[in-house]
Amino acid sequence: MWHLRARQHPVDRGQAAGGVLGALSGRRSGEAHLWLLFEEAVATARREADADPAAWEARRSFRAACDALVAVGGVAPVIADAMTGELEDALALRGHLAPTAFNGRAYPESAPPIDARGSADAWLEAEIVRHLDLLVGMPVPHRRTAAADTIRILRGPVRALTAWSGAGDAGELLRELASSLAAAGLAAEPTGTPPRPAWVRFLRLPALAPVADASPVVRRRLDVPAGVLDGSDVVVRDVAWSADVVEVRVARAGAMTPTPRRWLARVIDPVAGLHAGQPGAASGTDVVFRLRPGLQEVAPTMAITVVAGAEAADVEVVL
Amino acid sequence: MSARTPWWAGMPDAAVELRCQGERHTVRWHAGQILAAAHGDADAEAALGALGGDPPACLDLLARWGRQAASVELVSLWRRPGEDLTGFAPAQVRPLVANASGPGASPAEQRRADLLVLLALPAAMVDRLLLAVLAATSERWADDAFRARHGLRLGAALAARAEPALGRFACDLVPPGHATVTASPAPPGERTHITARTAGSERIRVDAFLGLEWLGEVWARGVSEVEGRMVLAVRGADVARHALEVDLATWREAPGGGWACAAEHATIERQPEGGWRLAR
């Protein structure tokens, strides 16, 4: 078995200058990386009795890389969809998916210009916080194994973003996460990067129950603009909290549900630290995020971040 | 393949048996052509079939083959070296294509049905279809629009298929694991060009620009390496002897430092058990 590295492609090495593949340029390095990853995934997914887990992992990893690159504008959605479909075809051909899953679609003749907005760091940090939220939903004894899975899962998007951007920055956040997991006792190997205190503190929380049934008891009206996401002005309408939940209600000027991309939110306050949660419910022009842990006492300020793809809107509010 | 030798030269025939018009018929691949021997005038039968009713299964297969013989996607989908178990079983795909062919089908449905049927053929037949695809791909490599659409796919495919052999070729210069190898398609009209240079005290870096035709001529024929020697190109075929004239890769010291790959002419012969060896 051979392994392809993310940066082997001539585009990634900066060696395609006007030449080898003619029309190629840096803006297609995301697609170039996905094709290398495709080859890697197919090489992994042979039709062997014990190959199913590897095939599923390859498929999951490929989708994660596609998601990351689409979010940052590194590859056009139509290209990512086509390549995901082709990988599923290859898996069906090797018995890992039913023949009915075979698409047989032709590769797009062209892709619309990529709508590149935001930054890889914004997307990756939101993704890390989403994983942190999943981790603290688990019983403490299971978190160590899940932490290793988290690092493994995030390594694929980080590699894709690194290959796409040509910079080494994407890995820094992952190293910060690894150090934070180590500082929280969930990973054995700290990296040279310092841990992030808010993440460590969050990871040390006891297992948190879902907040679906929790109702906030204190509400503060804010109506503060936070920035622009998906082309819409974003306003934080209010925050509310109880001992179990922190709720953030965000309005998008002129936009109606559903949200065009997955929105995520997180809050950091100086008393309880990080509050995180899964994507919120949307109705009308509002999106409501329900985050945990809750607040035992009122915090003097809150730093609220809302992320859509790779775009982030931040605002700090005084309560 | 060199200009004097067609892309299919030296490839053994392959065949599939079909149930067609209540009989067992054979569709055969021979010398780059797919033939339905039981149908004397295939074009006339196809024309009659187009007027109504189901076409004979043999001619239906020929039509599907013709429509997909330039589908670049097959390069990515079909099997890699050592993969023996790729493909669908005919019984699996029969119900999936029953209502997806014929005049009422959309182009996308038709294409899906074509591929399902073709990918359920015996692997040796699909290997020949892939050869046809790769030959068409090499011909179209000079087309800017083609490269813009499929260049990245084919670049990655070439890299994945050539780099293992290149890595072992680099072991003529350094111990295993001491070479960083990269492979890319050579620009249209340019020849294969492989160089190596030192990269640190004990490592070398190998940069290979291979003509895209390497995929069809060499890799798809299963002759990337013969007795540990990397094959750069196939120059001719002697069908009677089951032999191919090839260029083997060999290192020469480059005038400006480092090494450059040179071609060494050789003949290789197919063995009865299926492998290849250098002719003595």
Side-chain angles (χ1 to χ4, degrees):
Chain A
M1 176 74 64
W2 63 88
H3 295 281
L4 295 169
R5 293 176 303 281
R7 299 174 60 79
Q8 284 183 322
H9 197 279
V11 170
D12 299 326
R13 298 198 310 272
Q15 293 184 348
V20 179
L21 298 180
L24 300 187
S25 66
R27 72 187 169 82
R28 296 202 41 204
S29 59
E31 186 182 347
H33 173 71
L34 287 180
W35 276 118
L36 288 173
L37 199 56
F38 184 100
E39 289 292 338
E40 205 175 80
V42 173
T44 304
R46 288 160 182 260
R47 179 180 273 173
E48 291 165 1
D50 57 353
D52 255 0
W56 285 104
E57 175 64 16
R59 184 186 186 203
R60 188 204 54 69
S61 181
F62 190 81
R63 282 175 173 271
C66 285
D67 288 348
L69 289 170
V70 166
V72 300
V75 68
V78 66
I79 295 293
D81 284 350
M83 294 183 73
T84 304
E86 273 199 46
L87 182 59
E88 289 177 359
D89 287 353
L91 295 180
L93 206 49
R94 287 158 178 80
H96 299 296
L97 291 172
T100 49
F102 186 84
N103 300 289
R105 283 186 292 172
Y107 201 62
E109 288 191 21
S110 61
I114 299 170
D115 183 15
R117 292 185 297 203
S119 72
D121 279 356
W123 180 86
L124 187 57
E125 185 167 344
E127 194 65 8
I128 286 173
V129 171
R130 190 174 70 81
H131 278 276
L132 295 181
D133 181 60
L134 293 172
L135 276 173
V136 298
M138 293 182 172
V140 174
H142 295 168
R143 288 186 190 172
R144 200 175 169 84
T145 306
D149 286 343
T150 298
I151 293 291
R152 180 176 52 78
I153 288 168
L154 289 173
R155 201 169 278 143
V158 165
R159 191 173 76 145
L161 293 171
T162 303
W164 164 71
S165 68
D169 293 338
E172 186 64 15
L173 274 170
L174 193 63
R175 287 190 287 276
E176 194 175 2
L177 172 63
S179 292
S180 301
L181 290 167
L186 299 178
E189 297 175 17
T191 64
T193 303
R196 189 177 295 199
W199 292 355
V200 176
R201 186 174 173 184
F202 189 75
L203 286 164
R204 285 178 174 156
L205 292 170
L208 297 176
V211 294
D213 300 328
S215 297
V217 293
V218 183
R219 186 175 298 273
R220 293 284 164 85
R221 186 84 181 178
L222 297 171
D223 283 329
V224 290
V228 176
L229 292 179
D230 279 330
S232 300
D233 289 323
V234 172
V235 174
V236 178
R237 288 274 184 237
D238 56 45
V239 292
W241 62 88
S242 69
D244 298 315
V245 66
V246 171
E247 195 176 273
V248 180
R249 189 159 62 95
V250 173
R252 295 168 295 139
M256 300 296 287
T257 54
T259 51
R261 289 186 287 180
R262 183 176 63 186
W263 284 32
L264 298 167
R266 60 180 180 270
V267 166
I268 294 180
D269 79 68
V271 177
L274 174 66
H275 306 266
Q278 298 300 304
S283 65
T285 61
D286 287 1
V287 184
V288 178
F289 300 95
R290 295 166 65 78
L291 314 175
R292 54 188 186 173
L295 273 179
Q296 301 289 346
E297 56 185 298
V298 65
T301 60
M302 281 185 177
I304 300 170
T305 303
V306 184
V307 182
E311 286 184 285
D314 299 285
V315 64
E316 181 155 338
V317 297
V318 178
L319 300 174
Chain B
M1 189 69 69
S2 63
R4 66 180 185 279
T5 312
W7 58 267
W8 42 262
M11 284 300 294
D13 289 3
V16 59
E17 277 202 355
L18 299 175
R19 186 122 196 111
C20 179
Q21 296 178 316
E23 299 173 9
R24 300 297 297 178
H25 289 172
T26 299
V27 171
R28 182 173 299 281
W29 183 94
H30 169 75
Q33 300 287 317
I34 184 162
L35 307 164
H39 301 266
D41 189 344
D43 288 343
E45 283 197 55
L48 283 174
L51 297 176
D54 292 334
C58 293
L59 301 187
D60 180 60
L61 177 59
L62 263 57
R64 294 183 193 279
W65 185 289
R67 284 193 293 266
Q68 304 305 328
S71 287
V72 183
E73 291 81 0
L74 285 168
V75 178
S76 307
L77 294 178
W78 189 235
R79 64 180 177 176
R80 308 301 193 263
E83 274 195 295
D84 295 330
L85 299 172
T86 309
F88 298 121
Q92 286 179 310
V93 304
R94 221 167 278 131
L96 300 178
V97 302
N99 298 316
S101 304
S106 70
E109 289 170 331
Q110 180 76 72
R111 177 185 163 81
R112 178 176 183 261
D114 286 351
L115 291 173
L116 281 166
V117 169
L118 293 168
L119 292 168
L121 292 172
M125 287 289 280
V126 188
D127 287 344
R128 271 60 173 182
L129 175 61
L130 181 63
L131 266 181
V133 169
L134 289 169
T137 297
S138 295
E139 280 185 13
R140 298 170 70 191
W141 187 238
D143 177 354
D144 289 345
F146 178 80
R147 286 201 314 286
R149 184 179 179 194
H150 294 299
L152 292 171
R153 170 202 301 276
L154 294 167
L158 182 81
R161 287 154 184 76
E163 283 177 357
L166 286 163
R168 286 183 283 272
F169 178 41
C171 291
D172 291 353
L173 301 175
V174 289
H178 285 66
T180 301
V181 176
T182 59
S184 315
E190 289 194 15
R191 298 165 67 98
T192 289
H193 178 66
I194 305 172
T195 57
R197 56 187 165 83
T198 54
S201 58
E202 296 179 345
R203 295 189 64 82
I204 61 169
R205 175 181 173 134
V206 176
D207 287 304
F209 293 90
L210 297 174
L212 194 69
E213 60 276 10
W214 184 88
L215 280 175
E217 277 184 18
V218 179
W219 175 79
R221 288 166 179 268
V223 296
S224 305
E225 290 171 281
V226 176
E227 295 188 26
R229 301 289 304 275
M230 183 175 177
V231 175
L232 296 172
V234 175
R235 297 296 176 198
D238 184 336
V239 178
R241 283 177 56 208
H242 302 291
L244 296 173
E245 304 297 318
V246 299
D247 287 343
L248 299 175
T250 186
W251 291 114
R252 300 268 189 271
E253 287 192 13
W259 299 265
C261 175
E264 185 180 299
H265 183 75
T267 302
I268 60 173
E269 293 172 334
R270 185 189 293 275
Q271 298 306 289
E273 64 274 19
W276 293 82
R277 73 171 190 188
L278 293 169
R280 306 298 177 195

